[in-house]
Amino acid sequence: MYGPGHGWGFGLFWQIGAFLGGLVLTAAIVVLAILLVRYLIVATRAAQLYVDTHSPAATPPATTSTETPPAATEPPPATPPSTKPAPRPRTPKTPPAAL
């Protein structure tokens, strides 16, 4: 079983293959762990930005029905229309002259 006999020296190939397979498996686990940590960091930052944006301190307090509504403010001035140049008229190409 472990000495010379049946197997014709393939035990060495088995050990090399098992070692390389272990390296690949270990590398895959490390890569997955790194990706998971990066995802959790990004998700935590995104959640913090969401909480900061939507926290009650950032929004104005709601008015009750007994309070008077705030005075109407003027709308912002209208933006001037874009000054894009007019498109050039399209002219069809002339067909090549027949010989």
Side-chain angles (χ1 to χ4, degrees), residues 80-85:
S82 63
T83 57
K84 293 173 90 175

Side-chain angles (χ1 to χ4, degrees), residues 8-98:
W8 297 283
F10 289 114
L12 177 65
F13 293 126
W14 180 261
Q15 288 178 352
I16 291 172
F19 177 75
L20 292 176
L23 282 179
V24 169
L25 185 63
T26 303
I29 291 172
V30 168
V31 166
L32 286 176
I34 289 171
L35 289 175
L36 176 66
V37 168
R38 288 185 66 206
Y39 170 75
L40 290 176
I41 289 171
V42 170
T44 303
R45 286 184 189 160
Q48 187 61 46
L49 288 174
Y50 179 84
V51 169
D52 290 344
T53 304
H54 296 89
S55 65
T59 59
T63 60
T64 60
S65 61
T66 59
E67 295 179 8
T68 59
T73 60
E74 292 184 25
T79 58
S82 63
T83 57
K84 293 173 90 175
R88 296 186 320 187
R90 296 183 63 172
T91 56
K93 294 183 178 181
T94 56

